[in-house]
Amino acid sequence: MKGKPIGGVRRAQLITTYGVGSLIAVGSESFMIAGLDRWSELGPYDHTIHERRLEKELDVQCFRLPPASDSDKYGDIPVVRFPETQSCPGCNRLAGARFFGATRSPAKCKECDRELVPSRFVVCCAAGHIDDFPYYSWLHKGGDSSGTETNKHDLKLKATGRSASLGDIEISCSCGVRPVTMEGALSKGALKGIRSCTGRRPWLGDVPREECKELPRAMQRGASGVWFSDVRSALSIPPWSEGVQKLVERNWKSLRKAPDLRERIEELDLANHRLFSVEEIIQAVERRRQDDAGHTDTSEVALKFDEYQALIRPTEERSRNQDFVCVPWEDDAIASELAIDQVMRVKRLREVRVLRSFTRLAAPSSINPDQRAPLYAPENRPDWLPAIEVIGEGVFLRLDSSRLGDWESRPDVQARVAPVDAAYQERFARSGLVADREITPRRVMIHTLAHSIINQWSLDSGYPAASLRERLYVSDKMAGFLIYTATSDSAGSFGGIIAQVESGNLATSVRVAMDRVSWCSADPLCVESDTSGTDNLNRAACHACVLLPETSCEEFNTLLDRALLIGTPDQPDLGFFTPISEEIREPRLRVP
């Protein structure tokens, strides 16, 4: 819906941080990003994004970059005021914004002429529903505030100011009931018997509320658990990354069902293209037609395996509009000393990140596939999803499969990972589900290796760690990982990652990375811990050694154990890598 702009965010944030259904603070007010079916009211978009493999997986025609019109008169992304409950710092009245007569921004109390303060608290459920905190029911022990009874009760909210604790936020009513505080309101199960889930979805407008049996939980509206993005991503790889496929994509509507391709190509003035011959264009169209007619596997595992195959094969640069350039680098030192048998310089890559849904209370995973909230009303399903594309560079490393197989088959290595695998199975069992995979030494070790190298390269290359990202390729057929630039701003492609290879110091930098993780300021507690991290899914891993900003990690900083890299004091040969030589060690300052 068109209206005066109230603030601004970056396009990338509308995918990862402030997507549909999330809360955003603008000045002293709070709003919720509206659903995609209301974005269409803004008119057509001029910037579409195509990524063939993701389009097939998510069953859409295209992706669209969130709009940005640079208009001072009209906004781009519609929002709704949420939470609706507001309080006045002058008269302490607690009610809906409409009661105060607030119709514009900023919302003000019509009696005190002071800006209203949005409610600090909301209630969410695991099914994605969200509503205002039930202050009336909390004060009256589950009483109903509907009907004419509401008119007899004037609620007030007052902070005593003695401290910032919930016990100093007092709610009172004109009916004379004893005032209560917010103490204990945020604890799990606090609303049991007070309020059931209302099934409300404010971001979808006036759609009917859903029936929901989930127990809602009160949260502060700025808490991270109020909204988690469910983002799918994929790399553009051959053949879809080739320039000729981009040309076909732009003209696909005309070429899709053309009976005579040569004639249609001439009509579109493509016969004399400066980069591609008519035969190349015809082959690209036929390949696209075959892909449309086929039933290819579009699961995440299949997409990853396709990318893995593209990363281990050289792809030379043929044109400037090519999205994927991957060339090998020979390094005898890293192959013989560190059991890394293949190094690929990904000089150019394109990643597309798509917001497909979101969750509340818990991050999206295969544990809660039915608890993802929709971005649009069911009857208004669009043929697109919001997305961003990142152009950058990276380095792909593959480990020696034979040495890796010998190492991971050792009983002591398997025993080391057993508690992590048991915790992972238990995580699913609590929801009555079977785990989607087995946690193997290979996965944990390669994941920890990627973290250690990202930390080291952030120091060597000048990139902040949050600007680097990992992409893991681990299974019985895959044993590698890609480290690449992950931001869409000026830190996207400076050449600093490729330089870590081309400088000839790759083996040294990996060795130094191993040396850095061999010691942690939290030792011996860190290295001797049996379990740590979320749901006990880590062992020797903490913020002082291998944890990364969560935007850089595929697994949300879980499934990590640096002991599988360098061993432990009791088991120095446990790790995949040999002990660090003294010549490679970095000097450390010591107090005399």
Side-chain angles (χ1 to χ4, degrees), residues 139-286:
L139 175 60
H140 293 85
K141 310 301 181 186
D144 185 9
S145 62
S146 61
T148 58
E149 185 182 0
T150 307
N151 300 326
K152 303 177 184 179
H153 299 271
D154 294 328
L155 299 181
K156 290 191 175 183
L157 183 146
K158 183 179 180 180
T160 63
R162 292 189 297 267
S163 70
S165 69
L166 297 180
D168 284 332
I169 301 176
E170 185 179 273
I171 307 167
S172 60
C173 182
S174 60
C175 70
V177 67
R178 184 178 179 180
V180 300
T181 69
M182 291 293 294
E183 186 73 31
L186 303 187
S187 59
K188 190 174 182 179
L191 297 181
K192 188 175 183 179
I194 302 292
R195 168 65 67 88
S196 57
C197 181
T198 60
R200 191 180 176 204
R201 297 173 290 177
W203 68 94
L204 298 182
D206 298 327
V207 298
R209 302 190 179 194
E210 291 184 323
E211 293 185 7
C212 183
K213 298 181 180 180
E214 296 281 349
L215 178 66
R217 181 172 182 178
M219 304 187 74
Q220 297 200 52
R221 60 180 168 87
S224 60
V226 172
W227 190 85
F228 292 97
S229 62
D230 181 16
V231 176
R232 283 288 288 115
S233 70
L235 301 182
S236 296
I237 58 174
W240 313 114
S241 63
E242 296 172 355
V244 65
Q245 284 293 343
K246 291 184 179 182
L247 179 66
V248 169
E249 185 67 58
R250 288 195 296 268
N251 299 277
W252 182 241
K253 289 184 178 180
S254 299
L255 297 171
R256 183 177 183 181
K257 296 182 179 180
D260 189 333
L261 280 178
R262 289 183 180 275
E263 181 179 344
R264 184 58 55 87
I265 288 172
E266 291 180 358
E267 291 176 356
L268 295 173
D269 196 24
L270 300 178
N272 297 318
H273 196 278
R274 63 186 182 87
L275 294 177
F276 310 112
S277 66
V278 174
E279 294 299 329
E280 287 178 313
I281 297 175
I282 292 176
Q283 290 177 5
V285 173
E286 293 294 347

Side-chain angles (χ1 to χ4, degrees), residues 155-435:
L155 299 181
K156 290 191 175 183
L157 183 146
K158 183 179 180 180
T160 63
R162 292 189 297 267
S163 70
S165 69
L166 297 180
D168 284 332
I169 301 176
E170 185 179 273
I171 307 167
S172 60
C173 182
S174 60
C175 70
V177 67
R178 184 178 179 180
V180 300
T181 69
M182 291 293 294
E183 186 73 31
L186 303 187
S187 59
K188 190 174 182 179
L191 297 181
K192 188 175 183 179
I194 302 292
R195 168 65 67 88
S196 57
C197 181
T198 60
R200 191 180 176 204
R201 297 173 290 177
W203 68 94
L204 298 182
D206 298 327
V207 298
R209 302 190 179 194
E210 291 184 323
E211 293 185 7
C212 183
K213 298 181 180 180
E214 296 281 349
L215 178 66
R217 181 172 182 178
M219 304 187 74
Q220 297 200 52
R221 60 180 168 87
S224 60
V226 172
W227 190 85
F228 292 97
S229 62
D230 181 16
V231 176
R232 283 288 288 115
S233 70
L235 301 182
S236 296
I237 58 174
W240 313 114
S241 63
E242 296 172 355
V244 65
Q245 284 293 343
K246 291 184 179 182
L247 179 66
V248 169
E249 185 67 58
R250 288 195 296 268
N251 299 277
W252 182 241
K253 289 184 178 180
S254 299
L255 297 171
R256 183 177 183 181
K257 296 182 179 180
D260 189 333
L261 280 178
R262 289 183 180 275
E263 181 179 344
R264 184 58 55 87
I265 288 172
E266 291 180 358
E267 291 176 356
L268 295 173
D269 196 24
L270 300 178
N272 297 318
H273 196 278
R274 63 186 182 87
L275 294 177
F276 310 112
S277 66
V278 174
E279 294 299 329
E280 287 178 313
I281 297 175
I282 292 176
Q283 290 177 5
V285 173
E286 293 294 347
R287 178 177 287 176
R288 175 68 184 269
R289 287 177 173 179
Q290 293 174 6
D291 187 69
D292 281 352
H295 300 283
T296 56
D297 187 358
T298 59
S299 65
E300 183 175 1
V301 175
L303 293 182
K304 279 289 191 74
F305 187 73
D306 290 343
E307 292 176 9
Y308 181 77
Q309 293 296 318
L311 287 166
I312 63 177
R313 293 194 300 262
T315 302
E316 299 291 342
E317 183 175 2
R318 295 182 57 195
S319 65
R320 289 188 176 182
N321 61 348
Q322 190 174 330
D323 285 332
F324 188 80
V325 178
C326 182
V327 294
W329 178 265
E330 299 297 333
D331 193 326
D332 295 335
I334 198 167
S336 60
E337 298 177 19
L338 297 170
I340 297 176
D341 66 357
Q342 188 174 27
V343 179
M344 302 294 285
R345 295 168 294 162
V346 188
K347 292 188 173 183
R348 189 180 305 152
L349 63 81
R350 171 180 179 260
E351 182 191 22
V352 176
R353 301 177 192 166
V354 182
L355 177 65
R356 64 172 176 177
S357 61
F358 65 90
T359 61
R360 304 198 192 276
L361 300 184
S365 71
S366 51
I367 301 177
N368 55 357
D370 299 328
Q371 295 179 344
R372 293 182 171 93
L375 303 181
Y376 44 81
E379 64 276 10
N380 297 322
R381 187 182 189 276
D383 61 356
W384 59 274
L385 288 172
I388 59 171
E389 56 182 349
V390 177
I391 308 298
E393 48 148 6
V395 172
F396 174 77
L397 303 176
R398 186 181 68 176
L399 277 68
D400 186 327
S401 58
S402 61
R403 291 178 61 176
L404 184 60
D406 293 341
W407 171 80
E408 66 183 349
S409 63
R410 289 166 44 184
D412 56 342
V413 173
Q414 294 179 357
R416 177 75 186 183
V417 178
V420 177
D421 182 51
Y424 191 79
Q425 307 297 323
E426 174 62 24
R427 189 185 198 185
F428 282 78
R430 288 196 296 267
S431 301
L433 302 174
V434 178

